[in-house]
Amino acid sequence: HTRRPDAMTATAEPKEIRLSDYAPFPYAYDEVTLNFALDGEYATVTAMSVITPIEGRDRTRGLVLNGKMPFFELLGARVNGETLPADRYSIEADGDDTLMIIKDTPDVRFELEITTKFKPQDNTELSGLYKSSGTFCTQCEAEGFRSITFYPDRPDVMSVFTTKITADKAKYPVLLSNGNLIDSGDAANGAHFATWKDPWRKPCYLFALVAGDLAVVEDTFTTMSGREVALKIYAQAKNIDRCDFAMASLKRAMKWDEDRFGLEYDLDLFNIVAVDDFNMGAMENKSLNIFNSRLVLASEESATDATFERIEGVIGHEYFHNYTGNRVTCRDWFQLSLKEGLTVFRDHEFTSDLHSRAVKRIADVRYLRAAQFAEDASPLAHPVRPEAYQKIDNFYTLTVYEKGSELIRMYSTLLGKDGFRKGMDLYFQRHDGQAVTTEDFFQAMSDANSTNIEKLKRWYSQAGTPALNAEGTYDAVAKTYALTLTQTLPQTNDVKGAADKKLPQLIPVAVGLLGEDGKDMVLDGDIKCEGDAEATLDETKTTAVCRLTEFKQTFTFTNITSKPVPSVLRGFSAPVKLTMTPELTTDELLFLLANDSDEFNRWEAAQKIATSILIRLCKKHNDDKALKIEDVDVTSDPSWAKYSAACRGIVKDATANVLDRAWVEEALNFPGPSQLIQDLAPGVNPVNTYRVCKAFARAFAKESRVELEAALATCDAEAAGLAYDVDGPQVSRRALRGYAIRMLGSIGGDDVSSSIASAYSSAKNMTDTVSALTGLCGHDDSSAAKKKAFDDFLNKWKDDNNVSCTWLRMVASDAGKGGANAIDEMKRLMASDVYDAKNPNKFYSLIGGFAGGNIEGFHAADGSGYEFVADVLLQTDAINPQASSRMASPFTKWRLYDENRQNLMKAQLERLLAQKLSPNLFEIISKAIKG
């Protein structure tokens, strides 16, 4: 039983998995009993499965099980208690994994026992069972269970799991797994055991185990039917005092899911465990959520307001998976967005209901445009439901999550809140306990409502971001406003990416019309729709959702008594790139900024004016010779004066607290290089795009210095004597204060540096601390004060695994500023005691902070930044392929840039491809270079 598969060369083309090849598994796993014996060096796992062949399914090949040899050793296999002879099974290579194929299985129900042995501490990939800071823990999604034992590692094989864990009692007093604790006690030689049973059927990717010396915070939640649920959050003892906010967030999530969707927790215990070494953010294992500690641990001293909100959202996200992912799961991994896109939508709604809906929507769309739209425009573009993949780990993407969430939001927009709830109720009624597809979700939504949404399905299978043009024409005689909507679908590099083969998608376009008085017109006349298009009105009859179903259709609003200013795509009702014909003038956009009742489109108006100015500046400065962009280059733009005046007015209103301060911080958070690069591509000089953005912010800060300093002084006066809280008013105040400090920091000068350094010294919470550090990074004049502050921050937090990541990300983004050599600085940081290449958080913070946040360093004209990151990818790939493949994302955008940088990035892609890469990194690099 120690045979090993033939080794596969890492540079061989990995096998492609295709949706069209899906076949149901021919065996049912009725029960699974796992016995883990954890000693100081090895884990020995005995898996006993009760299996029933499924009549009518093809069993010609035998029982095919996934594993990972030689990582684990196969100690034995038995069928119905008898040792499986060597001629009854084979061990075969399957890419970087292994298959065990058992031939001539019984035709009736039988038992299969498999025993494996391995060293969890050697599992640097952090997939399967591994050790984190002395604690045993698991991460089995997507294909980690195969690193534990041979098993059908696919989501459509569901079973009831019973798990017994035996380990040293002194070293590992806490033993956890899924479900309910049914037995525990002492064992021989100072060990103890715990046995857990999960009564709910689940796929193996939801299996979880934790064994360690952990402290715990406990609470209870009473469900809507009156059941009391025990809640426990485990963490290292030194961090346990930072778990209270996560516990409160969990209780809010449980209550919200009952109120919004009628979904009640279904066990008597819910556990969360925080670990430092984790590839992902968190994992929704049934009743035992395992979290990256950065998304659990929080206090006012250690976490920013943004981190608090992120923790609340992710706690909610993983809890919401209990139904959308666990009770109803995916048939295959091509359906990943079925659980992830839906649950992202649910966590966005959770945050929106608890806080500012407008601010949350703006933040989500800003992220979508900067990151997911870029993915859609890259060689790695793929549909929400991909047609093929080589490594499923590479498809935990922004498209699957964020665009998938936008697709779910379109269901809600089209069906209304009540109609969407009816569809969700029917979905759970039909499919509870099943592994299903996106078609099943669509059918439940469609059957629960009488409206035709058939063409919405096309969003699942067609890649790329649609372009939407809205052309408006007013007829004063007829008193009509005709809005012609045209959708264009882009060419993409995926299996079905040909533009001329793509079909029109159902796009909900929310439209309002503003009158001369700045108020919404009441749309009480008929809306005439072309073809099978429809339009529905909200309760106030001021917003119409126009359902575009063809490539081009016209919607004619009647009884429009004066020429309106259109407010199109309210609430960002669809994930598209919108253009207007004719383009709205600066005056019209300022009118919307001042008057639109839709807070998203008010923000959008400010963004559009800023974007138009920035694009004009970028076109003037698109070579490496333009080392400095003067203030006059910005302020001489024809739209600048009116725009700057309007924004200064917004700062004044925020200071007076007559506007939502958090919305103001978003409204005046100008478009960044990522968005501009997409708008200007190809042939973009990213360094000068970054410099244009810096110059734009500096020019505004100089003109607005009086208003910004007044805002800062007002915020400080309001905060005096207040106890810290993460409630809305305080968070909004700190957001405005942070904005003022960041903007003032861009001005430079000893007086500004001294003022911000003082703000750092007096900061009493992490939000204000990070705002001051960011402000000190805004201008080279602050280099001395910046160094002193960053050294102080490091000295205070160097031993904290999470807060030190904040420092790593910020110094990586700042490396090379003020004349230093960025690569030399990065190498020194990598060699420091703070950095740990095996810890994903620190890797993502330092290397991601450089590749994603240090545009001048990463995109240096000599290619040194590209070479440095490529070298790090190779080093990391040997340790953790998932981490290396995720960090390769910046290289996939190489075609966006100027010719020199294209050549330099392509050279690094070719160099990488010539090395022995993991299948994870190989897939990303090979697709990027072909695109």
Side-chain angles (χ1 to χ4, degrees):
H1 295 291
T2 58
R3 283 181 291 165
R4 295 181 177 181
D6 293 334
M8 166 191 163
T9 59
T11 50
E13 181 96 27
K15 179 179 66 175
E16 188 168 67
I17 311 297
R18 289 181 170 270
L19 173 60
S20 58
D21 293 335
Y22 171 82
F25 197 66
Y27 297 85
Y29 269 59
D30 303 324
E31 300 173 37
V32 177
T33 301
L34 300 171
N35 194 324
F36 285 81
L38 307 176
D39 63 26
E41 187 174 9
Y42 288 97
T44 303
V45 182
T46 300
M48 171 70 79
S49 303
V50 178
I51 303 170
T52 301
I54 298 176
E55 188 174 351
R57 294 187 182 176
D58 185 6
R59 290 185 280 126
T60 305
R61 196 179 178 194
L63 177 58
V64 181
L65 308 176
N66 307 102
K68 204 169 187 73
M69 297 177 67
F71 174 71
F72 65 60
E73 179 183 357
L74 176 63
L75 298 183
R78 299 161 67 88
V79 172
N80 290 333
E82 296 185 2
T83 299
L84 193 65
D87 62 355
R88 286 274 306 283
Y89 73 96
S90 62
I91 303 291
E92 301 176 6
D94 182 38
D96 61 341
D97 297 329
T98 315
L99 295 179
M100 180 181 188
I101 303 175
I102 301 175
K103 308 162 190 172
D104 302 323
T105 58
D107 292 330
V108 295
R109 198 181 202 214
F110 64 95
E111 294 183 350
L112 172 65
E113 179 184 294
I114 293 176
T115 303
T116 55
K117 182 179 180 180
F118 55 93
K119 295 181 178 180
Q121 65 272 19
D122 291 349
N123 184 357
T124 60
E125 295 186 15
L126 312 185
S127 178
L129 177 64
Y130 63 94
K131 266 193 166 181
S132 171
S133 303
T135 297
F136 289 99
C137 59
T138 56
Q139 172 55 35
C140 291
E141 187 177 358
E143 297 176 336
F145 197 79
R146 64 187 60 187
S147 295
I148 296 173
T149 188
F150 279 115
Y151 192 85
D153 194 357
R154 44 188 287 168
D156 59 344
V157 177
M158 304 174 72
S159 189
V160 174
F161 282 72
T162 301
T163 304
K164 181 178 180 181
I165 310 163
T166 305
D168 184 279
K169 188 173 184 177
K171 292 181 179 178
Y172 311 105
V174 175
L175 305 176
L176 305 173
S177 192
N178 309 91
N180 298 313
L181 180 66
I182 60 172
D183 195 14
S184 63
D186 292 333
N189 302 317
H192 70 141
F193 74 91
T195 303
W196 296 80
K197 183 167 185 177
D198 183 358
W200 297 98
R201 295 171 69 245
K202 65 174 180 284
C204 64
Y205 83 82
L206 290 171
F207 170 78
L209 176 153
V210 172
D213 186 1
L214 301 167
V216 63
V217 170
E218 300 185 60
D219 205 334
T220 61
F221 177 80
T222 302
T223 70
M224 60 186 183
S225 67
R227 287 189 306 105
E228 186 173 278
V229 179
L231 309 177
K232 300 183 180 184
I233 299 181
Y234 293 86
Q236 294 180 49
K238 64 181 182 181
N239 295 324
I240 201 65
D241 61 341
R242 297 190 205 167
C243 295
D244 292 342
F245 182 78
M247 180 65 80
S249 298
L250 174 60
K251 296 178 74 171
R252 285 192 290 271
M254 297 176 81
K255 181 67 167 63
W256 181 86
D257 216 15
E258 291 183 346
D259 292 345
R260 181 72 182 267
F261 289 104
L263 300 175
E264 179 180 11
Y265 186 61
D266 52 7
L267 288 168
D268 298 328
L269 174 65
F270 190 91
N271 290 319
I272 290 175
V273 179
V275 299
D276 287 340
D277 303 287
F278 204 72
N279 279 330
M280 299 184 180
M283 180 61 210
E284 70 267 20
N285 317 295
K286 184 73 178 184
S287 78
L288 178 53
N289 286 188
I290 299 179
F291 270 68
N292 189 318
S293 59
R294 290 201 79 185
L295 293 171
V296 172
L297 308 178
S299 65
E300 62 183 279
E301 297 85 8
S302 67
T304 64
D305 292 336
T307 300
F308 274 105
E309 184 175 303
R310 178 74 174 140
I311 287 171
E312 184 179 62
V314 177
I315 291 280
H317 180 98
E318 304 307 328
Y319 174 76
F320 301 147
H321 267 311
N322 187 55
Y323 279 87
T324 51
N326 297 3
R327 288 279 289 266
V328 184
T329 194
C330 305
R331 187 197 70 178
D332 53 71
W333 289 121
F334 297 99
Q335 319 298 328
L336 180 59
S337 194
L338 177 72
K339 72 181 187 77
E340 294 301 346
L342 176 55
T343 307
V344 169
F345 170 75
R346 276 157 47 74
D347 85 56
H348 286 179
E349 286 294 289
F350 171 57
T351 301
S352 297
D353 283 346
L354 266 59
H355 305 289
S356 168
R357 177 167 291 273
V359 171
K360 174 61 175 170
R361 187 63 182 141
I362 290 165
D364 291 340
V365 173
R366 186 190 291 279
Y367 179 54
L368 181 83
R369 285 174 169 169
Q372 193 281 320
F373 279 18
E375 184 171 272
D376 258 354
S378 79
L380 272 67
H382 58 276
V384 170
R385 186 194 61 206
E387 295 290 332
Y389 61 80
Q390 295 173 6
K391 291 294 292 184
I392 185 56
D393 297 329
N394 289 334
F395 278 83
Y396 283 73
T397 62
L398 294 161
T399 299
V400 167
Y401 279 67
E402 304 303 326
K403 187 174 182 178
S405 169
E406 292 299 313
L407 174 49
I408 300 299
R409 184 173 297 279
M410 287 190 286
Y411 279 105
S412 182
T413 299
L414 290 163
L415 302 176
K417 187 175 180 179
D418 292 341
F420 185 79
R421 170 64 189 271
K422 286 197 301 182
M424 289 286 283
D425 289 347
L426 183 58
Y427 176 62
F428 293 126
Q429 178 186 326
R430 284 180 175 176
H431 301 298
D432 191 12
Q434 298 178 13
V436 300
T437 66
T438 55
E439 284 87 351
D440 293 316
F441 181 82
F442 171 85
Q443 202 59 52
M445 284 287 162
S446 185
D447 290 349
N449 295 274
S450 58
T451 187
N452 179 9
I453 56 171
E454 184 68 24
K455 292 179 181 178
L456 194 65
K457 279 200 296 188
R458 294 173 181 171
W459 283 89
Y460 286 111
S461 58
Q462 297 185 156
T465 305
L468 178 71
N469 178 258
E471 182 176 0
T473 304
Y474 179 65
D475 187 330
V477 175
K479 296 182 180 180
T480 61
Y481 181 79
L483 188 67
T484 299
L485 300 176
T486 305
Q487 61 174 297
T488 305
L489 304 179
Q491 180 91 14
T492 49
N493 291 324
D494 57 302
V495 175
K496 297 180 179 179
D500 59 351
K501 301 293 185 183
K502 292 182 178 179
L503 300 172
Q505 299 173 167
L506 171 53
I507 300 179
V509 184
V511 177
L513 302 177
L514 276 70
E516 295 174 349
D517 59 358
K519 296 179 180 179
D520 282 326
M521 292 182 168
V522 176
L523 306 176
D524 53 5
D526 291 338
I527 303 175
K528 299 176 181 179
C529 305
E530 188 176 357
D532 63 349
E534 298 177 37
T536 56
L537 291 172
D538 67 357
E539 291 181 357
T540 64
K541 294 187 177 181
T542 57
T543 298
V545 176
C546 300
R547 303 181 178 204
L548 176 64
T549 58
E550 300 296 339
F551 283 119
K552 185 175 183 179
Q553 286 171 318
T554 298
F555 300 79
T556 302
F557 297 81
T558 62
N559 196 28
I560 305 300
T561 57
S562 62
K563 184 179 180 181
V565 176
S567 172
V568 181
L569 209 66
R570 284 185 156 181
F572 200 67
S573 57
V576 299
K577 294 181 178 180
L578 174 67
T579 57
M580 296 291 297
T581 302
E583 289 186 15
L584 296 180
T585 65
T586 298
D587 286 342
E588 287 174 321
L589 290 169
L590 289 169
F591 180 80
L592 291 174
L593 174 59
N595 298 293
D596 202 331
S597 64
D598 183 77
E599 291 185 90
F600 178 87
N601 269 6
R602 284 176 57 216
W603 169 82
E604 182 79 308
Q607 294 292 297
K608 285 182 176 178
I609 301 171
T611 299
S612 65
I613 298 171
L614 285 161
I615 286 176
R616 287 191 288 271
L617 286 167
C618 286
K619 289 179 177 178
K620 292 179 182 178
H621 303 279
N622 197 35
D623 60 68
D624 287 303
K625 296 177 183 178
L627 298 179
K628 186 174 182 181
I629 301 164
E630 302 293 343
D631 294 342
V632 68
D633 293 324
V634 180
T635 59
S636 61
D637 186 274
S639 296
W640 175 263
K642 290 181 178 180
Y643 172 72
S644 177
C647 290
R648 291 198 305 276
I650 289 173
V651 175
K652 288 180 181 179
D653 286 345
T655 302
N657 209 13
V658 296
L659 277 179
D660 180 350
R661 289 168 167 178
W663 179 87
V664 168
E665 195 269 345
E666 284 287 356
L668 302 183
N669 192 350
F670 309 123
S674 177
Q675 179 183 330
L676 294 174
I677 287 168
Q678 292 181 59
D679 291 339
L680 291 161
V684 183
N685 180 323
V687 171
N688 274 20
T689 304
Y690 164 76
R691 290 171 181 165
V692 164
C693 291
K694 291 274 287 184
F696 185 97
R698 183 182 66 242
F700 177 72
K702 286 182 177 180
E703 287 195 0
S704 309
R705 182 166 182 169
V706 171
E707 290 84 0
L708 293 168
E709 288 177 340
L712 179 57
T714 299
C715 289
D716 285 343
E718 291 176 0
L722 280 181
Y724 178 90
D725 203 346
V726 286
D727 65 359
Q730 285 205 33
V731 170
S732 295
R733 175 182 53 73
R734 286 190 290 271
L736 178 61
R737 181 182 186 276
Y739 176 79
I741 286 179
R742 291 195 304 274
M743 294 303 297
L744 289 168
S746 69
I747 296 174
D750 292 342
D751 56 339
V752 171
S753 297
S754 176
S755 174
I756 298 178
S758 177
Y760 170 80
S761 299
S762 62
K764 295 181 175 61
N765 58 74
M766 186 58 74
T767 302
D768 289 345
T769 297
V770 170
S771 292
L773 290 173
T774 305
L776 290 171
C777 292
H779 198 284
D780 290 344
D781 287 352
S782 302
S783 56
K786 175 178 66 178
K787 184 180 186 307
K788 181 180 179 181
F790 271 90
D791 287 348
D792 176 77
F793 186 88
L794 176 61
N795 184 60
K796 182 177 181 180
W797 294 106
K798 62 185 177 182
D799 295 325
D800 188 293
N801 278 330
N802 291 329
V803 183
S804 61
C805 288
T806 301
W807 182 84
L808 287 169
R809 180 171 292 278
M810 294 187 76
V811 294
S813 299
D814 198 60
K817 305 294 169 64
N821 183 284
I823 305 306
D824 289 345
E825 284 196 37
M826 288 297 297
K827 288 179 178 178
R828 282 195 295 271
L829 289 166
M830 289 185 69
S832 71
D833 293 337
V834 183
Y835 182 67
D836 180 0
K838 293 183 179 180
N839 179 275
N841 285 348
K842 295 195 172 184
F843 171 71
Y844 296 143
S845 296
L846 184 65
I847 307 306
F850 178 76
N854 192 327
I855 291 180
E856 291 179 303
F858 180 62
H859 290 291
D862 63 359
S864 57
Y866 306 146
E867 183 179 12
F868 167 74
V869 174
D871 286 342
V872 175
L873 290 181
L874 286 172
Q875 296 165 18
T876 306
D877 199 43
I879 302 170
N880 189 334
Q882 285 189 43
S884 64
S885 64
R886 286 175 189 167
M887 196 50 64
S889 174
F891 284 104
T892 67
K893 303 175 179 67
W894 65 280
R895 289 189 182 274
L896 299 176
Y897 306 118
D898 55 87
E899 184 177 0
N900 174 55
R901 289 179 172 84
Q902 283 194 28
N903 292 334
L904 291 168
M905 293 186 89
K906 187 178 180 183
Q908 293 304 318
L909 288 168
E910 290 171 341
R911 179 168 75 92
L912 286 168
L913 206 56
Q915 310 299 311
K916 290 184 177 180
L917 304 178
S918 69
N920 298 66
L921 187 55
F922 176 86
E923 180 174 23
I924 300 298
I925 299 301
S926 61
K927 287 182 177 179
I929 205 167
K930 290 177 183 176

